[in-house]
Amino acid sequence: TRKLNPQELLCVLKNRAHVRTLDGKEAPFSNLGWEKYFPKVPLNKLYPRGFSTCAVVSSAGAILNSSLGSEIDSHDAVLRFNSAPTRNYEKDVGNKTTVRIINSQILTNPSHHFTDSSLYKDVTLVAWDPSPYYADLHMWYHKPDYNLFPPYEKHRKKNPGQPFYILHPKFTWELWKIIQENSDEKIQPNPPSSGFIGILIMMSMCKKVHVYEYIPSYRQTDLCHYHEQYYDAACTLGAYHPLLYEKILIQRINQGTEDNLLRKGKVILPGFSSIQC
Ligand code: NCC
């Protein structure tokens, strides 16, 4: 099949990547009486007027010494990932957080102190679990990668006012399919990274999305995270996630300049409301 041009690719994303969160109306959640735990307002209706400009801040080590903090904070909404902190890194990553995407390890691995850490307070939380491709909701509920359901239930009971969602696996796997259909090679059947998921969530809520250090700048480094002394090139290029292919796809729809990419590791994407298909 023919390679899609950037506009066509954007329209594929807009037409198919519809953000979906669990609402408790489907089995097994409906049978388990889970409807009451999920927020009444789904994520795609949480910000009815949307945002004008948004920042997606990757956790890559390359953002260190970028001095991008004030630019990042100037956006109307800022999305961050997992346990990536802002404290002590304000100059490079800013300190505003609107949405935090967390994978199921954050909820289940005690080292992350999910219940107590201030990282997970006063923000909109979006959790996800990389259930296998073939799993239906029943199989997933009984055998998630990491069992996020008990800590989710506990957190919702304790903090009913905090918007906290679980992504529907259909959404993450639809993203995987789009990546596969638009890659030259066969990619591994593992879900996309939190980074790719976050970019698509912001494209559905914002008129413009500025993504920082997802595609590496000239500061590219093997330092995995800006907040940790751990070196592994796979963090940037991928091992488990089809990271390389996600990044190639995002680069194809970049509307920012070469200079922005090189100096800031910044990609500029139109939100879905800004494109006509
Ligand atoms: O590392 P992680 O990702 O939390 O990073 C968040 C997103 O930032 C982008 N990134 C990160 C580092 C880097 N050098 N380059 C990048 O582009 C990616 O888009 C990434 O998604 C995840 O996606 O959820 C992931 O989570 C970690 C880990 O589970 C959490 O940090 C919690 O400790 C995964 N690492 C391991 O499981 C060991 C990682 O594979 C994916």
Side-chain angles (χ1 to χ4, degrees), residues 196-211:
F196 190 78
I197 295 170
I199 292 169
L200 273 294
I201 290 179
M202 288 320 240
M203 286 176 82
S204 72
M205 303 202 301
C206 314
K207 289 200 180 71
K208 267 219 160 20
V209 182
H210 294 221
V211 185

Side-chain angles (χ1 to χ4, degrees), residues 59-60 82 103 105 112 193-195 214 224-225 235-236 241 247:
S59 310
N82 295 321
N103 68 37
Q105 294 183 45
H112 292 297
S193 73
S194 296
Y214 176 70
C224 182
H225 294 135
C235 294
T236 305
H241 298 287
K247 293 188 180 194

Side-chain angles (χ1 to χ4, degrees), residues 135-203:
D136 63 21
L137 287 185
H138 287 92
M139 288 165 73
W140 177 45
Y141 180 77
H142 291 290
K143 222 175 174 300
D145 247 26
Y146 297 89
N147 195 356
L148 74 172
F149 299 112
Y152 177 79
E153 180 184 345
K154 191 171 152 214
H155 191 95
R156 289 291 300 155
K157 280 184 177 159
K158 212 170 143 203
N159 311 276
Q162 180 178 25
F164 182 8
Y165 300 92
I166 297 180
L167 283 179
H168 199 297
K170 282 211 168 125
F171 171 64
T172 31
W173 285 111
E174 186 64 18
L175 297 185
W176 182 89
K177 282 187 212 160
I178 297 171
I179 299 167
Q180 176 61 90
E181 287 169 20
N182 291 284
S183 298
D184 295 331
E185 285 160 69
K186 231 178 147 63
I187 63 172
Q188 63 272 42
N190 293 327
S193 73
S194 296
F196 190 78
I197 295 170
I199 292 169
L200 273 294
I201 290 179
M202 288 320 240
M203 286 176 82

